[in-house]
Amino acid sequence: MEPPSGRDAQALGNEKFKVLGSIRPLRGEDVVLGQYDGYRKVAGVAPTSNVETYAAIRLHVDSWRWGGVPFLLRTGKCLPVTATEVRVDFKRPPVDVFGESAPTGSNFVRFRLTPDMTISVGALAKKPGDEMHGQEVVLDAAHQSGSEQPPYQRLIGDAAQGDQRLFAREDTVEAAWRIVDTILDSKAAPIAYQRGTWGPKEADALLSAHAHWHDPTSD
C-alpha cells in the first residue's frame, strides 16, 4: 500500500482499501490448488475429500506503482520448510557492471516474518582482487522472535483501548472477498503432491518467462 496520511486507524484503513480495490478478481488460470498425498487418511478427514492443503496464486495490482508487476503467492501444508516471507526481485540493470550475466534472483530484498524476523538484501558485489568479477552477497538484519506479545493478546489489549489500527474495516473485508469470490465455487479437484515438496509442478504455469519460485530455507 502507499504511505498513509497519518498513523490513525482511518488513514491506515484507507490505504489498505485502495490496494485491495486495485487487485483484479482471480481467474481459474491464476490459481493452482493441491492436496498432499495421505491427507485423506488423516483421522476425521473424509476418504473422498477434495479440500485443498495447498494454494498458489498470481495476483495483478492495477495501480500506477504496481501495474505489470506479478505478485506470486503460495502456501500449504507438509512443505519442506515452515516460514513466512516476502521476496522482491529487482529487474536487471541495462549494463552488466562486471561484464558477466548476473545469476537470476541475485539482487533482491527479502522480508521474513516467521520463524524469525529478518530483513535481507542480496546483491552482486566485486570479488576481492584485480579482476572485475562479481559474487553474490547477502546482508542480513535479524531479530530473534519470542519476546513479543502473542498476536491475540495484543489484539485484545487494543480492543480494550479502542485502538482499531490492526483490525479489518468492513470495506476492506468486502474488497478482499471480491478478489477470491470468483473461484470459491470451483469444482476442480486439487492436484496431488508429495509431502516434503513445494507443491504440484502445475504451479510453475503461473510464472512468467523469466520468473521462478524462491524456496525458503530453514536458516
Side-chain angles (χ1 to χ4, degrees):
M1 67 181 193
E2 298 296 327
S5 59
R7 299 186 61 186
D8 59 281
Q10 182 175 353
L12 289 170
N14 289 343
E15 296 304 326
K16 291 178 183 179
F17 174 75
K18 285 181 185 178
V19 71
L20 288 171
S22 300
I23 299 175
R24 298 179 202 169
L26 288 170
R27 302 169 300 173
E29 56 265 37
D30 295 321
V31 181
V32 173
L33 302 177
Q35 183 188 91
Y36 69 81
D37 283 336
Y39 173 73
R40 295 176 179 179
K41 297 180 181 179
V42 174
V45 174
T48 59
S49 173
N50 276 334
V51 173
E52 64 274 3
T53 62
Y54 171 95
I57 65 174
R58 177 178 55 208
L59 294 175
H60 300 277
V61 183
D62 294 326
S63 66
W64 282 77
R65 185 182 296 275
W66 298 112
V69 178
F71 284 74
L72 301 164
L73 292 77
R74 63 178 176 175
T75 184
K77 296 182 178 180
C78 296
L79 304 183
V81 174
T82 298
T84 302
E85 68 177 38
V86 178
R87 175 167 167 145
V88 180
D89 276 348
F90 295 113
K91 290 183 178 180
R92 289 184 58 183
V95 177
D96 292 321
V97 176
F98 299 106
E100 57 192 29
S101 296
T104 302
S106 58
N107 296 302
F108 65 88
V109 175
R110 181 177 61 226
F111 303 88
R112 174 169 283 198
L113 306 178
T114 62
D116 290 322
M117 299 181 190
T118 307
I119 299 176
S120 303
V121 178
L124 202 64
K126 181 184 177 300
K127 287 183 179 179
D130 297 332
E131 300 294 329
M132 279 293 290
H133 294 305
Q135 65 179 359
E136 294 181 70
V137 296
V138 178
L139 176 65
D140 291 324
H143 170 67
Q144 188 74 26
S145 299
S147 59
E148 297 81 15
Q149 280 186 328
Y152 287 103
Q153 180 178 333
R154 166 72 185 275
L155 290 176
I156 292 172
D158 286 351
Q161 297 173 20
D163 187 344
Q164 301 180 25
R165 286 178 297 174
L166 296 182
F167 291 83
R169 211 166 63 185
E170 182 179 357
D171 57 351
T172 61
V173 173
E174 292 176 349
W177 276 108
R178 177 191 59 84
I179 299 168
V180 300
D181 189 58
T182 51
I183 62 164
L184 292 181
D185 293 330
S186 172
K187 305 300 181 182
I191 303 168
Y193 66 95
Q194 296 295 318
R195 297 170 64 100
T197 68
W198 288 106
K201 292 295 184 181
E202 286 79 356
D204 293 347
L206 302 179
L207 304 174
S208 59
H210 303 290
H212 63 284
W213 294 109
H214 296 288
D215 300 335
T217 59
S218 56
D219 54 5

